[in-house]
Amino acid sequence: MSILQQSYFQFFQELRENNTKEWFLKNKTRYEKDVKFPFINLLKAISEDMQDSEPYLIGIDPNKFIFRIHKDLRFSKDKKPYKEYMTALLSPFGTKDKTYPGHYMEISCEKIIIAGGVYWFEDKNMLERVRYKISDNGDIFSKLVNEPSFIKNFGGIVGKKNKKLPKDLMDAMETQPLIANNQFYWWKELPSSKALEDNFVNTLKNYFVSAQKLNTFFIDSMHRV
């Protein structure tokens, strides 16, 4: 039996039609029973299943991986108060450090998003360290980005690029164009029906593990521990 059930998606289908504080509070017990607790159990199962490849996940409370369902409305044109999906970031710091390279997932009624890498940097110095790490370890980086399982699962690294780079990186950029990126992330979209399959935990594990060596490369480059 899958960890997430149809009741998870039923809740979000109804929330979409009733995205108000009043409706949510009336259905909060149902949210915790059908959505939040199963989602926590899913994260717990994944982190336990990945402990051989990522021992840093051992002993971390899966609640730390979950983003709030409440939306930040300060800069949003859409004033609906709640997200219509659940999101999580599996890393040693969970959602407290969104720049730390980890494993991201989002599950809504329509789709599952699986992602990872670095979506933004804390500062320019951190981005510079990554670029020079790539320049100094071009063969290693090329091997990682062309790893067959990573290519099969995610297709490659994507992200915005800078038009200009320091002169001492121009030659390296000719060999490895990804040096020009100021984002280094990957993502995959799956149908939401996958979440109801008995082997969904293993599906997620296969995606995450195929990208872990790249995450580690960026963690080391950014001098993160």
PDB file of all heavy atoms in Angstrom, residues 128-152:
ATOM      1  N   GLU A 128      31.348  32.340  -7.125  1.00  0.00           N
ATOM      2  CA  GLU A 128      32.707  32.349  -7.669  1.00  0.00           C
ATOM      3  C   GLU A 128      33.468  31.088  -7.270  1.00  0.00           C
ATOM      4  O   GLU A 128      34.192  30.513  -8.086  1.00  0.00           O
ATOM      5  CB  GLU A 128      33.445  33.594  -7.178  1.00  0.00           C
ATOM      6  CG  GLU A 128      34.825  33.759  -7.791  1.00  0.00           C
ATOM      7  CD  GLU A 128      35.492  35.052  -7.352  1.00  0.00           C
ATOM      8  OE1 GLU A 128      36.112  35.038  -6.272  1.00  0.00           O
ATOM      9  OE2 GLU A 128      35.354  36.047  -8.079  1.00  0.00           O
ATOM     10  N   ARG A 129      33.297  30.641  -6.024  1.00  0.00           N
ATOM     11  CA  ARG A 129      33.976  29.430  -5.570  1.00  0.00           C
ATOM     12  C   ARG A 129      33.530  28.220  -6.378  1.00  0.00           C
ATOM     13  O   ARG A 129      34.333  27.350  -6.712  1.00  0.00           O
ATOM     14  CB  ARG A 129      33.720  29.209  -4.078  1.00  0.00           C
ATOM     15  CG  ARG A 129      34.427  30.210  -3.189  1.00  0.00           C
ATOM     16  CD  ARG A 129      34.551  29.696  -1.768  1.00  0.00           C
ATOM     17  NE  ARG A 129      33.275  29.578  -1.083  1.00  0.00           N
ATOM     18  CZ  ARG A 129      32.717  30.556  -0.376  1.00  0.00           C
ATOM     19  NH1 ARG A 129      33.314  31.745  -0.289  1.00  0.00           N
ATOM     20  NH2 ARG A 129      31.576  30.367   0.242  1.00  0.00           N
ATOM     21  N   VAL A 130      32.238  28.159  -6.694  1.00  0.00           N
ATOM     22  CA  VAL A 130      31.734  27.049  -7.508  1.00  0.00           C
ATOM     23  C   VAL A 130      32.350  27.088  -8.901  1.00  0.00           C
ATOM     24  O   VAL A 130      32.790  26.057  -9.433  1.00  0.00           O
ATOM     25  CB  VAL A 130      30.191  27.098  -7.597  1.00  0.00           C
ATOM     26  CG1 VAL A 130      29.682  26.128  -8.657  1.00  0.00           C
ATOM     27  CG2 VAL A 130      29.568  26.768  -6.243  1.00  0.00           C
ATOM     28  N   ARG A 131      32.400  28.259  -9.489  1.00  0.00           N
ATOM     29  CA  ARG A 131      32.932  28.365 -10.853  1.00  0.00           C
ATOM     30  C   ARG A 131      34.405  27.955 -10.910  1.00  0.00           C
ATOM     31  O   ARG A 131      34.825  27.239 -11.828  1.00  0.00           O
ATOM     32  CB  ARG A 131      32.753  29.795 -11.363  1.00  0.00           C
ATOM     33  CG  ARG A 131      31.321  30.098 -11.765  1.00  0.00           C
ATOM     34  CD  ARG A 131      31.130  31.527 -12.157  1.00  0.00           C
ATOM     35  NE  ARG A 131      29.829  31.728 -12.806  1.00  0.00           N
ATOM     36  CZ  ARG A 131      29.245  32.896 -12.953  1.00  0.00           C
ATOM     37  NH1 ARG A 131      29.846  33.989 -12.487  1.00  0.00           N
ATOM     38  NH2 ARG A 131      28.065  33.000 -13.541  1.00  0.00           N
ATOM     39  N   TYR A 132      35.192  28.385  -9.942  1.00  0.00           N
ATOM     40  CA  TYR A 132      36.600  28.011  -9.943  1.00  0.00           C
ATOM     41  C   TYR A 132      36.801  26.539  -9.607  1.00  0.00           C
ATOM     42  O   TYR A 132      37.746  25.914 -10.091  1.00  0.00           O
ATOM     43  CB  TYR A 132      37.399  28.913  -8.999  1.00  0.00           C
ATOM     44  CG  TYR A 132      37.699  30.259  -9.618  1.00  0.00           C
ATOM     45  CD1 TYR A 132      36.952  31.387  -9.294  1.00  0.00           C
ATOM     46  CD2 TYR A 132      38.704  30.390 -10.573  1.00  0.00           C
ATOM     47  CE1 TYR A 132      37.206  32.618  -9.889  1.00  0.00           C
ATOM     48  CE2 TYR A 132      38.979  31.615 -11.168  1.00  0.00           C
ATOM     49  CZ  TYR A 132      38.229  32.721 -10.828  1.00  0.00           C
ATOM     50  OH  TYR A 132      38.495  33.943 -11.436  1.00  0.00           O
ATOM     51  N   LYS A 133      35.899  25.985  -8.803  1.00  0.00           N
ATOM     52  CA  LYS A 133      35.951  24.548  -8.527  1.00  0.00           C
ATOM     53  C   LYS A 133      35.713  23.761  -9.808  1.00  0.00           C
ATOM     54  O   LYS A 133      36.389  22.765 -10.089  1.00  0.00           O
ATOM     55  CB  LYS A 133      34.898  24.191  -7.480  1.00  0.00           C
ATOM     56  CG  LYS A 133      34.813  22.707  -7.145  1.00  0.00           C
ATOM     57  CD  LYS A 133      35.850  22.289  -6.142  1.00  0.00           C
ATOM     58  CE  LYS A 133      35.571  20.874  -5.658  1.00  0.00           C
ATOM     59  NZ  LYS A 133      36.530  20.435  -4.622  1.00  0.00           N
ATOM     60  N   ILE A 134      34.750  24.206 -10.609  1.00  0.00           N
ATOM     61  CA  ILE A 134      34.477  23.557 -11.894  1.00  0.00           C
ATOM     62  C   ILE A 134      35.686  23.707 -12.817  1.00  0.00           C
ATOM     63  O   ILE A 134      36.112  22.751 -13.477  1.00  0.00           O
ATOM     64  CB  ILE A 134      33.217  24.142 -12.551  1.00  0.00           C
ATOM     65  CG1 ILE A 134      31.974  23.819 -11.718  1.00  0.00           C
ATOM     66  CG2 ILE A 134      33.046  23.603 -13.977  1.00  0.00           C
ATOM     67  CD1 ILE A 134      30.712  24.506 -12.197  1.00  0.00           C
ATOM     68  N   SER A 135      36.245  24.918 -12.873  1.00  0.00           N
ATOM     69  CA  SER A 135      37.400  25.166 -13.735  1.00  0.00           C
ATOM     70  C   SER A 135      38.588  24.295 -13.358  1.00  0.00           C
ATOM     71  O   SER A 135      39.275  23.752 -14.235  1.00  0.00           O
ATOM     72  CB  SER A 135      37.794  26.648 -13.644  1.00  0.00           C
ATOM     73  OG  SER A 135      38.956  26.912 -14.399  1.00  0.00           O
ATOM     74  N   ASP A 136      38.821  24.123 -12.052  1.00  0.00           N
ATOM     75  CA  ASP A 136      39.974  23.347 -11.584  1.00  0.00           C
ATOM     76  C   ASP A 136      39.746  21.841 -11.631  1.00  0.00           C
ATOM     77  O   ASP A 136      40.705  21.067 -11.522  1.00  0.00           O
ATOM     78  CB  ASP A 136      40.323  23.753 -10.143  1.00  0.00           C
ATOM     79  CG  ASP A 136      40.817  25.189 -10.046  1.00  0.00           C
ATOM     80  OD1 ASP A 136      41.246  25.735 -11.079  1.00  0.00           O
ATOM     81  OD2 ASP A 136      40.743  25.760  -8.937  1.00  0.00           O
ATOM     82  N   ASN A 137      38.481  21.433 -11.769  1.00  0.00           N
ATOM     83  CA  ASN A 137      38.144  20.004 -11.759  1.00  0.00           C
ATOM     84  C   ASN A 137      37.221  19.665 -12.927  1.00  0.00           C
ATOM     85  O   ASN A 137      36.209  18.984 -12.766  1.00  0.00           O
ATOM     86  CB  ASN A 137      37.466  19.628 -10.433  1.00  0.00           C
ATOM     87  CG  ASN A 137      38.335  19.888  -9.230  1.00  0.00           C
ATOM     88  OD1 ASN A 137      39.111  19.031  -8.810  1.00  0.00           O
ATOM     89  ND2 ASN A 137      38.213  21.083  -8.659  1.00  0.00           N
ATOM     90  N   GLY A 138      37.601  20.169 -14.103  1.00  0.00           N
ATOM     91  CA  GLY A 138      36.743  20.030 -15.276  1.00  0.00           C
ATOM     92  C   GLY A 138      36.393  18.604 -15.631  1.00  0.00           C
ATOM     93  O   GLY A 138      35.233  18.301 -15.946  1.00  0.00           O
ATOM     94  N   ASP A 139      37.366  17.710 -15.580  1.00  0.00           N
ATOM     95  CA  ASP A 139      37.104  16.317 -15.946  1.00  0.00           C
ATOM     96  C   ASP A 139      36.142  15.657 -14.969  1.00  0.00           C
ATOM     97  O   ASP A 139      35.239  14.916 -15.379  1.00  0.00           O
ATOM     98  CB  ASP A 139      38.415  15.523 -16.001  1.00  0.00           C
ATOM     99  CG  ASP A 139      39.305  15.952 -17.163  1.00  0.00           C
ATOM    100  OD1 ASP A 139      38.783  16.605 -18.092  1.00  0.00           O
ATOM    101  OD2 ASP A 139      40.505  15.640 -17.134  1.00  0.00           O
ATOM    102  N   ILE A 140      36.356  15.916 -13.682  1.00  0.00           N
ATOM    103  CA  ILE A 140      35.474  15.334 -12.667  1.00  0.00           C
ATOM    104  C   ILE A 140      34.055  15.857 -12.833  1.00  0.00           C
ATOM    105  O   ILE A 140      33.081  15.088 -12.804  1.00  0.00           O
ATOM    106  CB  ILE A 140      36.004  15.655 -11.248  1.00  0.00           C
ATOM    107  CG1 ILE A 140      37.332  14.947 -11.006  1.00  0.00           C
ATOM    108  CG2 ILE A 140      34.977  15.263 -10.186  1.00  0.00           C
ATOM    109  CD1 ILE A 140      38.003  15.321  -9.705  1.00  0.00           C
ATOM    110  N   PHE A 141      33.923  17.170 -13.021  1.00  0.00           N
ATOM    111  CA  PHE A 141      32.592  17.771 -13.165  1.00  0.00           C
ATOM    112  C   PHE A 141      31.889  17.249 -14.411  1.00  0.00           C
ATOM    113  O   PHE A 141      30.700  16.915 -14.368  1.00  0.00           O
ATOM    114  CB  PHE A 141      32.716  19.289 -13.214  1.00  0.00           C
ATOM    115  CG  PHE A 141      31.392  20.000 -13.260  1.00  0.00           C
ATOM    116  CD1 PHE A 141      30.584  20.059 -12.140  1.00  0.00           C
ATOM    117  CD2 PHE A 141      30.952  20.612 -14.427  1.00  0.00           C
ATOM    118  CE1 PHE A 141      29.364  20.711 -12.171  1.00  0.00           C
ATOM    119  CE2 PHE A 141      29.734  21.270 -14.471  1.00  0.00           C
ATOM    120  CZ  PHE A 141      28.941  21.320 -13.342  1.00  0.00           C
ATOM    121  N   SER A 142      32.605  17.157 -15.515  1.00  0.00           N
ATOM    122  CA  SER A 142      32.009  16.663 -16.754  1.00  0.00           C
ATOM    123  C   SER A 142      31.517  15.234 -16.599  1.00  0.00           C
ATOM    124  O   SER A 142      30.457  14.861 -17.122  1.00  0.00           O
ATOM    125  CB  SER A 142      33.018  16.745 -17.900  1.00  0.00           C
ATOM    126  OG  SER A 142      33.314  18.095 -18.218  1.00  0.00           O
ATOM    127  N   LYS A 143      32.284  14.435 -15.861  1.00  0.00           N
ATOM    128  CA  LYS A 143      31.878  13.051 -15.618  1.00  0.00           C
ATOM    129  C   LYS A 143      30.590  13.004 -14.809  1.00  0.00           C
ATOM    130  O   LYS A 143      29.685  12.204 -15.097  1.00  0.00           O
ATOM    131  CB  LYS A 143      32.979  12.300 -14.889  1.00  0.00           C
ATOM    132  CG  LYS A 143      32.684  10.820 -14.680  1.00  0.00           C
ATOM    133  CD  LYS A 143      33.856  10.111 -14.019  1.00  0.00           C
ATOM    134  CE  LYS A 143      33.541   8.628 -13.819  1.00  0.00           C
ATOM    135  NZ  LYS A 143      34.691   7.910 -13.179  1.00  0.00           N
ATOM    136  N   LEU A 144      30.474  13.877 -13.821  1.00  0.00           N
ATOM    137  CA  LEU A 144      29.270  13.902 -12.980  1.00  0.00           C
ATOM    138  C   LEU A 144      28.037  14.349 -13.765  1.00  0.00           C
ATOM    139  O   LEU A 144      26.963  13.749 -13.643  1.00  0.00           O
ATOM    140  CB  LEU A 144      29.487  14.835 -11.786  1.00  0.00           C
ATOM    141  CG  LEU A 144      30.509  14.392 -10.742  1.00  0.00           C
ATOM    142  CD1 LEU A 144      30.677  15.468  -9.677  1.00  0.00           C
ATOM    143  CD2 LEU A 144      30.110  13.072 -10.098  1.00  0.00           C
ATOM    144  N   VAL A 145      28.176  15.405 -14.559  1.00  0.00           N
ATOM    145  CA  VAL A 145      27.000  15.920 -15.280  1.00  0.00           C
ATOM    146  C   VAL A 145      26.588  15.008 -16.425  1.00  0.00           C
ATOM    147  O   VAL A 145      25.457  15.110 -16.922  1.00  0.00           O
ATOM    148  CB  VAL A 145      27.235  17.352 -15.806  1.00  0.00           C
ATOM    149  CG1 VAL A 145      27.461  18.308 -14.663  1.00  0.00           C
ATOM    150  CG2 VAL A 145      28.381  17.410 -16.795  1.00  0.00           C
ATOM    151  N   ASN A 146      27.502  14.120 -16.847  1.00  0.00           N
ATOM    152  CA  ASN A 146      27.175  13.184 -17.927  1.00  0.00           C
ATOM    153  C   ASN A 146      26.946  11.762 -17.423  1.00  0.00           C
ATOM    154  O   ASN A 146      26.853  10.829 -18.236  1.00  0.00           O
ATOM    155  CB  ASN A 146      28.298  13.181 -18.969  1.00  0.00           C
ATOM    156  CG  ASN A 146      28.358  14.497 -19.739  1.00  0.00           C
ATOM    157  OD1 ASN A 146      27.426  14.853 -20.447  1.00  0.00           O
ATOM    158  ND2 ASN A 146      29.457  15.225 -19.589  1.00  0.00           N
ATOM    159  N   GLU A 147      26.842  11.608 -16.107  1.00  0.00           N
ATOM    160  CA  GLU A 147      26.541  10.298 -15.533  1.00  0.00           C
ATOM    161  C   GLU A 147      25.224   9.782 -16.124  1.00  0.00           C
ATOM    162  O   GLU A 147      24.201  10.479 -16.105  1.00  0.00           O
ATOM    163  CB  GLU A 147      26.414  10.422 -14.015  1.00  0.00           C
ATOM    164  CG  GLU A 147      25.912   9.187 -13.305  1.00  0.00           C
ATOM    165  CD  GLU A 147      26.893   8.035 -13.377  1.00  0.00           C
ATOM    166  OE1 GLU A 147      28.120   8.293 -13.391  1.00  0.00           O
ATOM    167  OE2 GLU A 147      26.431   6.884 -13.432  1.00  0.00           O
ATOM    168  N   PRO A 148      25.214   8.574 -16.697  1.00  0.00           N
ATOM    169  CA  PRO A 148      24.012   8.078 -17.395  1.00  0.00           C
ATOM    170  C   PRO A 148      22.733   8.117 -16.562  1.00  0.00           C
ATOM    171  O   PRO A 148      21.672   8.494 -17.072  1.00  0.00           O
ATOM    172  CB  PRO A 148      24.398   6.649 -17.761  1.00  0.00           C
ATOM    173  CG  PRO A 148      25.885   6.689 -17.911  1.00  0.00           C
ATOM    174  CD  PRO A 148      26.353   7.650 -16.865  1.00  0.00           C
ATOM    175  N   SER A 149      22.806   7.740 -15.286  1.00  0.00           N
ATOM    176  CA  SER A 149      21.590   7.728 -14.468  1.00  0.00           C
ATOM    177  C   SER A 149      21.074   9.145 -14.227  1.00  0.00           C
ATOM    178  O   SER A 149      19.850   9.377 -14.206  1.00  0.00           O
ATOM    179  CB  SER A 149      21.847   7.028 -13.132  1.00  0.00           C
ATOM    180  OG  SER A 149      22.841   7.698 -12.389  1.00  0.00           O
ATOM    181  N   PHE A 150      21.989  10.116 -14.092  1.00  0.00           N
ATOM    182  CA  PHE A 150      21.574  11.496 -13.910  1.00  0.00           C
ATOM    183  C   PHE A 150      20.930  12.041 -15.184  1.00  0.00           C
ATOM    184  O   PHE A 150      19.875  12.689 -15.135  1.00  0.00           O
ATOM    185  CB  PHE A 150      22.777  12.362 -13.517  1.00  0.00           C
ATOM    186  CG  PHE A 150      22.464  13.833 -13.435  1.00  0.00           C
ATOM    187  CD1 PHE A 150      21.705  14.332 -12.388  1.00  0.00           C
ATOM    188  CD2 PHE A 150      22.915  14.717 -14.410  1.00  0.00           C
ATOM    189  CE1 PHE A 150      21.398  15.690 -12.313  1.00  0.00           C
ATOM    190  CE2 PHE A 150      22.624  16.068 -14.338  1.00  0.00           C
ATOM    191  CZ  PHE A 150      21.857  16.553 -13.289  1.00  0.00           C
ATOM    192  N   ILE A 151      21.552  11.772 -16.312  1.00  0.00           N
ATOM    193  CA  ILE A 151      20.988  12.219 -17.595  1.00  0.00           C
ATOM    194  C   ILE A 151      19.629  11.582 -17.842  1.00  0.00           C
ATOM    195  O   ILE A 151      18.678  12.247 -18.280  1.00  0.00           O
ATOM    196  CB  ILE A 151      21.958  11.897 -18.750  1.00  0.00           C
ATOM    197  CG1 ILE A 151      23.252  12.704 -18.613  1.00  0.00           C
ATOM    198  CG2 ILE A 151      21.302  12.169 -20.098  1.00  0.00           C
ATOM    199  CD1 ILE A 151      23.070  14.198 -18.708  1.00  0.00           C
ATOM    200  N   LYS A 152      19.509  10.296 -17.545  1.00  0.00           N
ATOM    201  CA  LYS A 152      18.236   9.593 -17.750  1.00  0.00           C
ATOM    202  C   LYS A 152      17.132  10.202 -16.897  1.00  0.00           C
ATOM    203  O   LYS A 152      15.998  10.384 -17.367  1.00  0.00           O
ATOM    204  CB  LYS A 152      18.402   8.114 -17.418  1.00  0.00           C
ATOM    205  CG  LYS A 152      17.110   7.311 -17.540  1.00  0.00           C
ATOM    206  CD  LYS A 152      17.336   5.859 -17.136  1.00  0.00           C
ATOM    207  CE  LYS A 152      16.025   5.071 -17.195  1.00  0.00           C
ATOM    208  NZ  LYS A 152      16.216   3.659 -16.759  1.00  0.00           N
TER     209      LYS A 152
END
